[in-house]
Amino acid sequence: MTIAFTPVKTPDDRARLAALADEIWHEYWPALIGEAQTDYMVERFQSLAAIERDMAEHAYEYWFLQAEDDGRIVGYTGGHVEAQTNRFFISKIYLLAEERGRGFAKETVRFYEGLCRERNLEAMYLTVNKGNDLGIRAYLGTGFRTIDAVETDIGNGFIMDDYIMEKRIEPLAP
């Protein structure tokens, strides 16, 4: 199954993205990090205000992941170029529960590989919760490698306990 990457551009798109993020996060994350931290992280990083802030202040780009067979939205992704490191930071790859395991994450990584090549970036990287076995396996399976481990205080008594994973991008042969 293939997906299209539909850019999030309009105020309606951003509102739909925030609602989708809220749905996915509250389905997946409470089992790993608890309900209170899930609520906090959605408000701080996935809400409409956070999405609009990241787009305006940090040049984030977001895309809906849309199944090409029937046009349904299966998830979303987003991130931004880090000019100082010549890498793309993939902040988000999230899929609806019923869409996991269908190869959409792998297609999303391929999308970012192409984006990095187009923009002459040397690598892409992301953070993944150390307890997120599904995500870790998916990223390892697409060529990412763990380059660091970090604990980040995100406020309100919560810590993000993550691996940093990176995938180097080989330029296409001339």
Side-chain angles (χ1 to χ4, degrees):
M1 194 169 303
T2 59
I3 54 174
F5 297 86
T6 305
V8 171
K9 293 190 179 215
T10 68
D12 283 347
D13 288 346
R14 292 190 295 274
R16 282 180 37 221
L17 177 61
L20 180 64
D22 186 74
E23 177 184 350
I24 291 172
W25 268 72
H26 282 96
E27 176 274 321
Y28 188 78
W29 287 104
L32 286 172
I33 62 174
E35 195 71 42
Q37 186 167 346
T38 299
D39 290 343
Y40 179 77
M41 290 182 72
V42 166
E43 182 57 34
R44 181 131 186 237
F45 303 113
Q46 307 288 333
S47 66
L48 180 57
I51 290 164
E52 289 179 335
R53 176 197 66 226
D54 285 343
M55 291 178 87
E57 296 176 14
H58 305 291
Y60 269 65
E61 301 169 80
Y62 290 97
W63 295 268
F64 289 110
L65 308 180
Q66 204 163 3
E68 288 190 334
D69 60 350
D70 63 5
R72 74 188 182 284
I73 301 292
V74 301
Y76 69 103
T77 190
H80 66 98
V81 172
E82 284 189 350
Q84 69 275 21
T85 64
N86 201 36
R87 300 185 299 178
F88 194 94
F89 173 58
I90 303 172
S91 175
K92 300 155 178 71
I93 300 177
Y94 295 111
L95 298 168
L96 291 163
E98 63 272 16
E99 306 296 351
R100 294 182 198 125
R102 296 183 177 194
F104 294 132
K106 185 180 280 190
E107 280 196 56
T108 303
V109 170
R110 278 198 297 267
F111 166 77
Y112 281 120
E113 288 171 351
L115 191 75
C116 288
R117 284 189 183 99
E118 286 172 17
R119 297 177 182 185
N120 295 312
L121 301 173
E122 295 173 6
M124 56 186 163
Y125 80 101
L126 50 81
T127 59
V128 59
N129 182 286
K130 290 176 184 172
N132 184 359
D133 294 333
L134 179 67
I136 292 167
R137 280 195 314 272
Y139 299 133
L140 289 172
T142 58
F144 280 85
R145 64 183 184 86
T146 303
I147 61 169
D148 205 353
V150 293
E151 290 182 9
T152 307
D153 183 341
I154 58 170
N156 219 34
F158 297 118
I159 302 290
M160 289 190 335
D161 191 14
D162 295 332
Y163 292 120
I164 299 174
M165 300 182 80
E166 181 183 69
K167 182 171 184 174
R168 305 296 298 171
I169 302 299
E170 297 300 322
L172 294 176

